[in-house]
Amino acid sequence: MVAFTDRILGRIVHNEAMKSDPKEIYNWRVLLLACSACFGAMSFGWDSSVIGGVINLDPFIHDYGLGDSKSVATANLQGNIVSVLQAGCFVGALAAFVLTDKFGRKWCLVGAAVLTLVGVIMQAAGSGHLEPMYIGRFIAGLGVGCSSVVNPIYISENAPRAIRGLLTGLYQLFIVTGGMIAFWINYAVSIHMKGQTMYIFPLAIQGLPALLLFILMIFSNESPRYLAKSDRWEQAKSVLQRVRQLPYSHPYLQEEIQEIADQLEFERRLIGDASLLNLLKEMWTVQSNRKRAILSIVLMICQQMTGTNAINTYAPTIFKNLGITGTSTSLFSTGVYGIVKTVSCTCFLLFMADSLGRRRSLLVSSVGQAVCMFYIGLYVRIAPPVEGNPVPPAGYVALVCIFIFAAFFQFGWGPACWIYVSEIPTARLRPLNVALAAATQWLFNFVVSRAVPNMIVTVGAHGYGTYLIFGSFCVSMFFFVWFFIPETKGISLEHMDELFGVSEAEKAAVLDRDGKDNYMANIEIVEHTGAHNGHNKV
């Protein structure tokens, strides 16, 4: 099995770590751990995609009072139903920072699965009542938001450095796979079911990935780096031996354990106790950490301002606006859209994340998405589809641009952002950094999900301005990546400090000081040494 896995990965991953590290570490255990945790991501993709189709089903429209699709009142109600999940995700992401350090990565994922299941049950049982729909989606959002923080942390702390990008990027692959399945479930119920069952079934079946997350994580190990951080070194070594499938005496395993120990010791000397106040001080007063936090937050804002989740959630509505007629036909087009996203995300993880790299992928993705959004916006402005008339050739190009846009997003801005925010922070700041990034993602996801129905109705005829706005953001994102984002492929988690301006000499300066020195004195050493040695540039 190891030889087979190594042969496959050796063909698709090309970096120095892949060539030098022992082949035994690329085994089925690390792949299974990553896939198990990623069912939390599937819950988000499934939910955001299923609700976009459900709100277009006639029984749901009747039971929940969604009237004229072109009225602002209906747009507001649709936006409220959809976006309350993102509000829960925002709260869940912030809470995850405290919970993941207190209870561990594994048990936080188990708890997130339980919350998601409770929320799904309430949504399915709503039967036309808005209160359980709103409450259920908020509770499910708490679970999804929590898992969005813990999932990338858990995977990055278990993954070998050579394939960390591939495994962490599975988060995005599971999102789009869940979305694809949900799209086709919506299409199936639109032609095979009638009455309330038409929307109850897709709302209920979205609990499946949360159930799988709960079961699989019960049998999974805790993160070895979390165990080490909690001073449970024997358990950490045991987990690393099992996940890497190497004997404890192996030089690679000894080096990895030593790197974890050195990094944790450096951070403990730097910040003293790991109180929230000290963590926040270290994040925002140490230049290298502040840089990483700001990059993580801006990356997540940019991810949402591409407009991707607007298309994910409101794809049936957008396809109708581009001239596709009939609920089943628009849902079928949405299903094809889901397939394109899944295939393109798979291609990114296999051939780009750990080979082409994260930075180049973001640059290519920005350009492709901008071109697609500008074409769609100009088409809708200049030659909008006329109801009852066939779609013109320019309209079919616009429809194809939706699919091309999805492919470009999965080539970069989808998976690469989650890879970055989970791998660039220091070990102690990783939960806080990922929590802030994930909360930012959910906040702007909420803003976009809430605003898009109104934008389609109000921002120009047929909402053409919506696409031009998102296209403009994609252009600005290209320049942001060009000037500020470094490449991280093949770099171990413990060596990210050097990439962001903390050299080995600076670490030694802190470690050589008496452990009784206070927090701010150590901060001053890092800042002064970094400025003197010129290590503060990315």
Side-chain angles (χ1 to χ4, degrees):
M1 179 65 181
V2 171
F4 174 76
T5 305
D6 174 55
R7 284 200 303 272
I8 297 297
L9 292 175
R11 292 178 180 273
I12 60 179
V13 178
H14 304 285
N15 57 47
E16 292 303 315
M18 189 72 197
K19 298 175 183 177
S20 60
D21 293 345
K23 308 308 178 185
E24 292 86 353
I25 66 176
Y26 310 115
N27 57 73
W28 65 271
R29 287 183 184 276
V30 72
L31 294 173
L32 181 60
L33 284 175
C35 291
S36 299
C38 280
F39 279 107
M42 183 175 283
S43 290
F44 166 59
W46 197 309
D47 182 278
S48 62
S49 299
V50 82
I51 196 66
V54 163
I55 61 176
N56 284 278
L57 296 173
D58 290 336
F60 189 90
I61 292 172
H62 176 268
D63 290 353
Y64 284 88
L66 300 176
D68 182 7
S69 61
K70 296 182 180 180
S71 73
V72 175
T74 297
N76 284 330
L77 185 54
Q78 286 182 336
N80 290 339
I81 291 173
V82 170
S83 62
V84 71
L85 178 103
Q86 280 78 9
C89 289
F90 175 76
V91 176
L94 291 177
F97 158 64
V98 178
L99 297 175
T100 191
D101 268 349
K102 185 175 180 62
F103 299 107
R105 286 49 162 153
K106 169 182 173 176
W107 293 109
C108 276
L109 287 172
V110 171
V114 173
L115 284 172
T116 305
L117 285 169
V118 171
V120 166
I121 292 170
M122 292 187 69
Q123 291 177 62
S127 299
H129 299 284
L130 281 172
E131 293 82 1
M133 176 61 70
Y134 285 149
I135 296 171
R137 288 185 62 73
F138 184 81
I139 292 175
L142 294 175
V144 172
C146 180
S147 64
S148 73
V149 173
V150 184
N151 185 168
I153 296 173
Y154 180 81
I155 295 174
S156 66
E157 292 184 345
N158 276 285
R161 60 181 179 174
I163 59 171
R164 190 177 62 248
L166 187 153
L167 295 182
T168 308
L170 286 175
Y171 181 87
Q172 184 68 23
L173 179 61
F174 272 67
I175 288 177
V176 298
T177 301
M180 178 188 68
I181 296 171
F183 286 146
W184 286 107
I185 287 176
N186 285 342
Y187 174 67
V189 300
S190 72
I191 60 177
H192 293 299
M193 294 184 180
K194 297 185 181 299
Q196 288 187 333
T197 307
M198 189 182 289
Y199 67 82
I200 291 175
F201 178 78
L203 288 176
I205 198 66
Q206 67 179 320
L208 180 60
L211 180 62
L212 290 172
L213 175 67
F214 177 83
I215 294 172
L216 291 171
M217 288 310 301
I218 288 290
F219 296 101
S220 298
N221 61 260
E222 182 54 89
S223 156
R225 284 171 170 82
Y226 170 78
L227 293 171
K229 195 176 86 167
S230 304
D231 287 325
R232 294 151 63 182
W233 280 100
E234 292 306 314
Q235 294 179 52
K237 294 172 184 177
S238 176
V239 167
L240 274 176
Q241 283 182 263
R242 187 165 63 254
V243 174
R244 299 290 181 260
Q245 293 196 351
L246 292 172
Y248 180 69
S249 58
H250 195 283
Y252 176 89
L253 199 62
Q254 290 290 313
E255 181 182 357
E256 185 171 14
I257 292 171
Q258 189 60 49
E259 284 184 348
I260 294 172
D262 290 345
Q263 180 69 18
L264 287 172
E265 178 62 18
F266 166 69
E267 291 169 13
R268 283 169 178 159
R269 292 286 183 90
L270 182 65
I271 66 172
D273 67 279
S275 66
L276 177 60
L277 180 60
N278 276 355
L279 290 174
L280 287 171
K281 281 182 178 179
E282 190 202 1
M283 173 172 281
W284 297 110
T285 60
V286 177
Q287 184 174 357
S288 65
N289 293 332
R290 182 170 64 248
K291 189 182 300 181
R292 285 180 264 195
I294 292 172
L295 288 182
S296 298
I297 291 170
V298 176
L299 278 170
M300 285 307 188
I301 294 174
C302 291
Q303 185 193 64
Q304 294 309 304
M305 298 315 294
T306 60
T308 182
N309 279 319
I311 297 178
N312 291 349
T313 305
Y314 300 107
T317 301
I318 290 171
F319 279 117
K320 285 181 180 180
N321 283 353
L322 293 178
I324 297 295
T325 58
T327 300
S328 294
T329 306
S330 66
L331 290 175
F332 178 82
S333 301
T334 305
V336 175
Y337 172 78
I339 292 176
V340 171
K341 289 181 63 179
T342 304
V343 172
S344 55
C345 185
T346 302
C347 290
F348 169 82
L349 295 178
L350 293 180
F351 304 112
M352 298 174 75
D354 286 307
S355 298
L356 178 64
R358 291 75 148 136
R359 185 174 185 273
R360 290 181 181 176
S361 300
L362 289 175
L363 292 171
V364 171
S365 181
S366 299
V367 174
Q369 290 177 102
V371 171
C372 292
M373 279 296 185
F374 282 135
Y375 180 87
I376 296 169
L378 292 174
Y379 161 71
V380 173
R381 173 66 181 88
I382 297 170
V386 179
E387 190 172 348
N389 290 353
V391 180
Y396 281 112
V397 175
L399 292 171
V400 171
C401 280
I402 293 287
F403 300 120
I404 297 175
F405 171 88
F408 273 112
F409 179 78
Q410 300 307 327
F411 286 157
W413 282 99
C417 290
W418 289 108
I419 295 171
Y420 265 116
V421 302
S422 65
E423 68 183 5
I424 62 176
T426 59
R428 282 199 167 189
L429 288 179
R430 190 168 295 121
L432 178 58
N433 192 93
V434 177
L436 287 176
T440 302
Q441 189 255 5
W442 291 119
L443 176 61
F444 279 82
N445 193 328
F446 169 81
V447 170
V448 171
S449 297
R450 182 63 187 82
V452 163
N454 296 76
M455 291 171 68
I456 291 175
V457 174
T458 60
V459 184
H462 302 278
Y464 77 89
T466 306
Y467 308 103
L468 299 183
I469 289 171
F470 288 135
S472 300
F473 273 109
C474 290
V475 172
S476 65
M477 287 151 49
F478 174 89
F479 293 102
F480 166 67
V481 174
W482 182 270
F483 289 108
F484 297 108
I485 300 297
E487 183 56 72
T488 59
K489 69 172 182 178
I491 300 175
S492 70
L493 295 180
E494 285 69 37
H495 284 87
M496 289 294 171
D497 277 351
E498 298 171 38
L499 183 65
F500 284 91
V502 182
S503 70
E504 290 301 320
E506 294 166 49
K507 287 188 178 184
V510 173
L511 292 174
D512 285 343
R513 290 183 65 87
D514 182 12
K516 296 180 181 179
D517 283 349
N518 63 33
Y519 165 81
M520 290 309 298
N522 287 333
I523 294 294
E524 289 170 4
I525 289 178
V526 172
E527 292 292 349
H528 175 75
T529 311
H532 179 73
N533 291 337
H535 285 295
N536 284 326
K537 293 183 179 180
V538 174

